[in-house]
Amino acid sequence: MIENNLVLIGQVVKAPKLSTSPAGIHHCQFSIEHRSIQNEAGLNRQAFVRMQVVATGEWSQHLTRDLTAGSNIKVSGFINRHESRNGNPLLVLHAQQIEMIN
Protein backbone atom coordinates (compact mmCIF):
# COMPACT_ATOMS: atom_id res chain seq x y z
CA MET A 1 0.00 0.00 0.00
CA ILE A 2 1.28 3.48 -0.84
CA GLU A 3 1.11 6.01 1.97
CA ASN A 4 -1.46 8.82 1.80
CA ASN A 5 -1.73 10.58 5.15
CA LEU A 6 -2.41 14.20 6.07
CA VAL A 7 -2.62 15.82 9.50
CA LEU A 8 -4.06 19.32 9.61
CA ILE A 9 -4.76 21.57 12.58
CA GLY A 10 -7.17 24.41 12.05
CA GLN A 11 -10.51 26.00 12.69
CA VAL A 12 -13.89 24.81 11.43
CA VAL A 13 -15.19 27.55 9.12
CA LYS A 14 -18.44 25.99 7.94
CA ALA A 15 -20.86 24.28 10.26
CA PRO A 16 -20.92 20.52 9.66
CA LYS A 17 -23.54 19.20 7.28
CA LEU A 18 -24.86 15.75 8.20
CA SER A 19 -26.35 13.38 5.66
CA THR A 20 -27.09 9.71 5.12
CA SER A 21 -26.54 7.94 1.81
CA PRO A 22 -29.25 5.74 0.24
CA ALA A 23 -27.19 2.77 1.52
CA GLY A 24 -27.57 4.08 5.10
CA ILE A 25 -23.98 5.31 5.48
CA HIS A 26 -23.60 8.46 7.58
CA HIS A 27 -21.54 11.36 6.22
CA CYS A 28 -20.46 14.63 7.78
CA GLN A 29 -18.96 17.41 5.65
CA PHE A 30 -17.37 20.65 6.81
CA SER A 31 -14.52 23.00 5.94
CA ILE A 32 -11.37 23.63 7.95
CA GLU A 33 -9.02 26.61 7.66
CA HIS A 34 -5.33 26.42 8.58
CA ARG A 35 -3.06 29.45 8.99
CA SER A 36 0.55 29.27 10.14
CA ILE A 37 4.10 30.40 9.46
CA GLN A 38 6.32 27.65 8.08
CA ASN A 39 10.06 27.70 7.55
CA GLU A 40 11.10 26.94 3.98
CA ALA A 41 14.73 27.12 2.84
CA GLY A 42 15.59 29.22 5.89
CA LEU A 43 12.82 31.75 5.22
CA ASN A 44 9.48 32.19 6.96
CA ARG A 45 6.48 31.67 4.73
CA GLN A 46 2.83 32.23 5.53
CA ALA A 47 0.80 29.09 4.93
CA PHE A 48 -2.94 29.23 4.37
CA VAL A 49 -5.30 26.51 3.25
CA ARG A 50 -9.03 25.95 3.39
CA MET A 51 -10.01 22.36 2.81
CA GLN A 52 -13.20 20.37 2.77
CA VAL A 53 -13.31 17.47 5.24
CA VAL A 54 -15.52 14.39 4.98
CA ALA A 55 -16.07 12.00 7.89
CA THR A 56 -17.87 8.79 6.99
CA GLY A 57 -19.39 6.04 9.07
CA GLU A 58 -21.10 5.63 12.40
CA TRP A 59 -18.23 7.21 14.38
CA SER A 60 -18.55 10.43 12.37
CA GLN A 61 -21.99 11.23 13.79
CA HIS A 62 -20.80 10.96 17.40
CA LEU A 63 -17.49 12.72 16.93
CA THR A 64 -18.71 15.63 14.84
CA ARG A 65 -21.91 16.51 16.74
CA ASP A 66 -19.95 18.94 18.95
CA LEU A 67 -18.28 20.69 16.01
CA THR A 68 -19.39 24.23 15.29
CA ALA A 69 -17.95 27.04 13.21
CA GLY A 70 -14.95 28.31 15.18
CA SER A 71 -14.04 24.94 16.75
CA ASN A 72 -10.29 24.26 16.78
CA ILE A 73 -9.51 20.70 15.69
CA LYS A 74 -6.80 18.32 14.56
CA VAL A 75 -7.85 16.09 11.66
CA SER A 76 -5.93 13.04 10.46
CA GLY A 77 -6.82 11.10 7.35
CA PHE A 78 -6.13 10.72 3.64
CA ILE A 79 -6.70 13.06 0.72
CA ASN A 80 -8.70 12.18 -2.35
CA ARG A 81 -9.81 13.99 -5.48
CA HIS A 82 -13.49 14.88 -5.80
CA GLU A 83 -15.24 16.81 -8.54
CA SER A 84 -17.34 19.84 -7.75
CA ARG A 85 -20.77 20.17 -9.33
CA ASN A 86 -19.28 22.32 -12.09
CA GLY A 87 -16.57 19.74 -12.81
CA ASN A 88 -13.64 21.43 -11.06
CA PRO A 89 -11.27 19.10 -9.21
CA LEU A 90 -11.08 19.43 -5.41
CA LEU A 91 -8.78 17.82 -2.85
CA VAL A 92 -10.82 16.56 0.09
CA LEU A 93 -9.50 15.32 3.42
CA HIS A 94 -11.25 12.08 4.41
CA ALA A 95 -11.07 12.11 8.20
CA GLN A 96 -10.05 8.98 10.04
CA GLN A 97 -9.52 10.78 13.35
CA ILE A 98 -10.75 14.13 14.69
CA GLU A 99 -9.50 15.66 17.93
CA MET A 100 -10.88 18.78 19.59
CA ILE A 101 -8.22 21.35 20.61
CA ASN A 102 -8.91 23.83 23.40
Side-chain angles (χ1 to χ4, degrees):
M1 185 162 106
I2 298 174
E3 194 166 341
N4 177 350
N5 188 37
L6 178 67
V7 177
L8 192 61
I9 295 175
Q11 190 172 71
V12 176
V13 291
K14 279 189 176 178
K17 178 182 153 191
L18 303 173
S19 64
T20 303
S21 74
I25 299 171
H26 299 292
H27 300 283
C28 178
Q29 296 180 347
F30 59 94
S31 293
I32 185 174
E33 185 175 279
H34 167 89
R35 292 178 186 266
S36 65
I37 297 177
Q38 301 294 317
N39 189 287
E40 181 178 39
L43 300 171
N44 286 337
R45 174 184 200 130
Q46 288 190 14
F48 169 77
V49 66
R50 183 176 283 188
M51 181 170 272
Q52 183 177 347
V53 179
V54 175
T56 300
E58 200 63 42
W59 73 274
S60 68
Q61 299 296 298
H62 298 37
L63 198 54
T64 58
R65 71 175 165 231
D66 295 330
L67 292 182
T68 58
S71 296
N72 292 310
I73 61 172
K74 177 179 179 180
V75 182
S76 304
F78 65 92
I79 55 174
N80 194 29
R81 181 185 181 277
H82 287 228
E83 263 188 35
S84 68
R85 291 186 179 175
N86 60 5
N88 292 330
L90 300 169
L91 280 181
V92 176
L93 174 55
H94 287 256
Q96 295 172 311
Q97 183 176 4
I98 299 173
E99 180 182 330
M100 298 292 283
I101 298 174
N102 294 332

